Amino acid sequence: MSLKLGFILFVLGVGLVESRAKHQWGKLTADKIEQFKKAHPRTNVDRFVSALDRMNERMATKEPTAEEKLNLAEIIKGLKNHKRSPRHHKEGDSLSQINTNAGIANSLYGGDMVLSDPQVDVILGDFLDDSETGRDKRQAHYSAKYPTDLWGNTFYYYFDASLSAKAKKAAQMAIAFWQNSTCVDFVESQTNPNRVRFFKDGDGCYSDVGMMGGVQVLSLGTGCEYFYIAAHEIGHALGFFHEQSRYDRDTAITVNSGNVIPDQRYNYNKLTTSNNNNYLMPYDYGSIMQYDELAFTSNNGRTMFAKRAVYQNTMGSALISFYDISMMNSYYKCKAKCPNGATCVNGGFRNSRNCNVCICPSGWGGITCSERESGCGAALIAKGPIQTQSITIGANNEFDTEYETFEKCNYIIRAPMGYKIEVILKTMTGIDCIPGCVYKGIEVKAMSDHRYTGIRYCCEEDIGTKIVSEGNVMPVSLIGPGCNIPGYFILRLACM
Ligand SMILES: [Zn+2]
């Protein structure tokens, strides 16, 4: 009797498998797929990609409502159409472009993450059919205590021989940044049982999320050898998901799924309150974990709109934002290490590596965040009624695409109490109109809360834009590569 029953189940199993389309692995060869599976011993990769496919099927058939279409039309009407600069890197100028071009984005959660089996249970649970895979679906749910897969005080890693020298350098810079701005120590180790292997898997940039246990991977393939990509992937390895997948993202962005590559719609899946804890921090368009407006586009049309439209070009930033740093400090309980110390102003908080010094919102610096951030730039006074102030930075030198990191020139513009500052972007030369202004641009903090990333401008169409501050202090930063920031900006300041 039991034999017969077993036989029937077997036939049923085969029937189910055949009814499903096989996962499309894109450009990956059979060897590569095997290698990918081997690199993820804590993930049943077939089960993972099958859940992604099922999630995609459901999202692809979800048509926008009439109201959503109307809202979208309204948003688009209010936006400037940017003439985008030609691509700098043939692999792509953003993570999503690189992974799409590499043909791997549709086999990764959010386009660049691999989830462990327990994470698949929690995050993709609704899209699993375990009769196919033989794994029991666990009734696993993260609670408000999420994140759970953290490293504690030390993040162990090593560089695989496959990693290029350039990628290694980018990773080292990103590691130094995360280490200096959190209480997590990054320690190189070939032997610690739990460690991250930085390696090169073809052209892909991706990571596991949080600490998996055992040896886990972080790939910086061709096109991924830049600070911002390494910083983003390490963000995943430390436990971050994407900004655009926050459970509350609908308050901040509108996804235009009509422009998304059909087999990648699932990359815009949202997390839930049970697996996403943002420590009460607000949505930040300038997060290093935020994709740009063209992420996974099928037609070069925008796939994401900022509900606060002026922040459209802030999305896709190449810098780790203040809120990224602040949230990572909350994740790893760094803030609790400084019950006493410096009195931070302008939204800063105590640096757990030295409680007498503050970590400041960008544009601000000094021990308590009351001074201008160090480096080039100046403190300016806006005197009414109108003052033309030329700000010239760097030289119009040749743009070097092989830059390693960014330099900022920071200005703090002040007006008398009770007045506002009006800035007009009079001239901008040497700019690069790339989403997120990832190569160079100007950032203006118009809000009086300077913890948020400011508004980024880097397109010709932005010339003539008038920005009025909420308060009487306005940080303005120029962002560019290397020691010299090519570019030339003239602002017209007025006191209102
Ligand atoms: Zn990512």
Side-chain angles (χ1 to χ4, degrees), residues 9-51:
L9 278 174
F10 178 68
V11 170
L12 196 68
V14 169
L16 270 170
V17 171
E18 281 183 342
S19 70
R20 290 202 51 75
K22 257 184 92 154
H23 177 70
Q24 296 300 312
W25 280 96
K27 293 177 188 166
L28 270 64
T29 60
D31 278 0
K32 275 269 165 210
I33 298 166
E34 270 319 297
Q35 205 185 318
F36 182 78
K37 288 180 182 175
K38 267 205 200 117
H40 298 98
R42 279 161 310 282
T43 303
N44 178 334
V45 171
D46 287 323
R47 177 174 178 264
F48 170 57
V49 294
S50 151

Side-chain angles (χ1 to χ4, degrees), residues 412-434:
I412 298 275
I413 307 170
R414 286 191 173 87
M417 275 295 256
Y419 286 86
K420 290 180 176 180
I421 300 157
E422 179 196 277
V423 166
I424 295 178
L425 302 177
K426 290 282 281 181
T427 314
M428 295 199 280
T429 57
I431 42 177
D432 243 318
C433 187
I434 302 273

Side-chain angles (χ1 to χ4, degrees), residues 95 110 112-113 232-233 236 242 289 291:
L95 240 161
D112 73 333
M113 286 173 266
H232 176 106
E233 295 307 334
H236 286 317
H242 289 140
M289 307 314 287
Y291 279 169

Side-chain angles (χ1 to χ4, degrees), residues 66-82:
E67 197 194 335
E68 281 168 342
K69 278 186 186 160
L70 205 69
N71 284 342
L72 213 53
E74 264 319 290
I75 295 169
I76 293 166
K77 221 165 60 188
L79 274 181
K80 279 188 188 134
N81 233 341
H82 285 138

